[in-house]
Amino acid sequence: MLTDLELAQYRTDGYVMVRGAANPDQVRALRAEADRWVDESRAHPGSYGETPNGKTRFDLEAGHSAAAPRLRRIANPVDISDVYKDFVWDGPVPDLVAQLVGPDVKFHHCKLNIKMPGMAAYVGYHQDHAFTPHTNDDMVTALLLLDDMSEDNGCLMVVPRSHRRQLTHYEKDVFRGVVAGEHRAEVERNAVPMIGKSGDLCLMHSWCVHGSGENRSERPRRMFIADYTAADAFPLTPSNIPSIYSGHIIRGKPTRVARLVAATIELPAPSAGKSVFEVQGQGTAYEG
Ligand SMILES: O=C(O)CCC(=O)C(=O)O
């Protein structure tokens, strides 16, 4: 359960760190699957696998090879792994999310982001809601640290109180997937590092500006990210990362009534086949 203090921090700052949310056995099981996927990626010259919208499931960074695998993203591991599915449904997260948007909680999508030593992947500052606009913003991104994280291995960076603003992610009429240049210096100045241990969990509002730098250490940095919404938040655009479980109710009851909050929201451009890393202009290894 979130304490009153944690609830207050989420409301005020747009995020809260929950220490030791997942137990070591859960983290070990999630990491073992990640190790297996990294090993499996050695057999592929480029991004591979398929998601329900025809995107590649396993996203490989440019420079990937069998000897030095650079698997940076697995889209919706819940679709292919009971360990991840059980964690998303029956782990500690849904009850915490229900405290924030509940009692009726719906699954949107999830992904595993991997930055191994030597990889170049970073995540440019952005707001998740700009990628996944909904009828209301009772939406929580839950980010579970699978490794200890600090700035040297590219921990998550968040901008406190940024969830009260909606920033454009377009430049020159192109959806760039990052906050526009005019906001970047301010965002970088105000971002704070989410330093933590494996098993810690960051719960973040979908408008909270966040990003992360490269892994410049000799330690892995793996983070599992799952997006949950209130049951009455309905997507305004098709998901860029659909899961076979998208829209499934995880806690409470489904509804056919959409709750609309007044807002003007810039819609993302469809980014067929592309991961956030590609949308942000980072090099990708292609099969064939
Ligand atoms: O991996 C990270 O540091 C942040 C991930 C993120 O924001 C994303 O993948 O959209």
Side-chain angles (χ1 to χ4, degrees):
M1 290 288 280
L2 295 172
T3 63
D4 287 348
L5 212 62
E6 288 169 332
L7 283 167
Q9 199 206 338
Y10 180 86
R11 306 268 178 243
T12 306
D13 290 337
Y15 70 91
V16 64
M17 271 299 253
V18 185
R19 303 292 171 186
N23 69 46
D25 286 344
Q26 289 169 322
V27 174
R28 255 193 299 276
L30 296 167
R31 273 203 307 237
E33 291 283 78
D35 288 344
R36 190 168 63 74
W37 287 320
V38 169
D39 245 2
E40 186 183 279
S41 76
R42 294 175 193 274
H44 296 266
S47 299
Y48 60 99
E50 200 167 315
T51 65
N53 65 345
K55 286 173 68 156
T56 50
R57 186 179 299 283
F58 296 89
D59 181 47
L60 303 179
E61 177 178 295
H64 168 86
S65 69
R70 289 177 172 233
L71 175 61
R72 68 184 167 193
R73 151 81 58 96
I74 295 127
N76 285 308
V78 286
D79 290 3
I80 53 170
S81 161
D82 286 343
V83 173
Y84 278 83
K85 167 112 193 311
D86 291 349
F87 185 79
V88 165
W89 258 250
D90 302 321
V93 184
D95 290 336
L96 302 177
V97 172
Q99 278 186 273
L100 300 172
V101 304
D104 304 319
V105 177
K106 192 160 64 179
F107 173 69
H108 187 265
H109 79 276
C110 66
K111 56 231 174 185
L112 174 62
N113 281 0
I114 301 178
K115 298 187 221 166
M116 297 307 264
M119 286 176 63
Y122 64 89
V123 178
Y125 284 97
H126 66 281
Q127 295 172 299
D128 286 348
H129 211 97
F131 287 82
T132 56
H134 275 62
T135 56
N136 67 65
D137 60 9
D138 274 335
M139 302 175 60
V140 179
T141 304
L143 307 104
L144 178 71
L145 283 61
L146 298 187
D147 296 297
D148 295 354
M149 285 184 203
S150 49
E151 280 181 86
D152 64 334
N153 68 345
C155 69
L156 177 72
M157 306 286 295
V158 306
V159 181
R161 291 173 293 285
S162 55
H163 64 305
R164 301 186 191 288
R165 290 162 75 196
Q166 301 169 6
L167 304 178
T168 183
H169 291 58
Y170 277 81
E171 249 167 330
K172 297 200 172 97
D173 276 342
V174 177
F175 182 74
R176 306 274 180 196
V178 286
V179 298
E182 70 216 72
H183 302 296
R184 229 163 283 153
E186 177 208 327
V187 156
E188 282 169 14
R189 200 170 49 246
N190 293 321
V192 295
M194 294 294 98
I195 295 168
K197 298 270 179 216
S198 67
D200 290 351
L201 175 79
C202 179
L203 297 171
M204 193 177 71
H205 190 280
S206 64
W207 280 116
C208 179
V209 176
H210 62 287
S212 64
E214 288 173 25
N215 182 354
R216 289 184 299 274
S217 78
E218 294 305 315
R219 298 174 291 122
R221 199 229 69 153
R222 293 163 289 187
M223 189 154 69
F224 176 54
I225 304 163
D227 286 29
Y228 300 83
T229 76
D232 61 6
F234 284 86
L236 297 174
T237 55
S239 173
N240 199 30
I241 314 178
S243 156
I244 54 176
Y245 301 111
S246 290
H248 281 217
I249 293 296
I250 294 209
R251 288 289 180 278
K253 301 184 303 300
T255 179
R256 55 175 176 266
V257 179
R259 180 166 47 90
L260 276 68
V261 295
T264 51
I265 300 178
E266 198 169 44
L267 302 179
S271 47
K274 292 186 175 173
S275 73
V276 69
F277 301 100
E278 283 184 275
V279 173
Q280 295 185 345
Q282 299 178 51
T284 299
Y286 296 100
E287 194 131 48

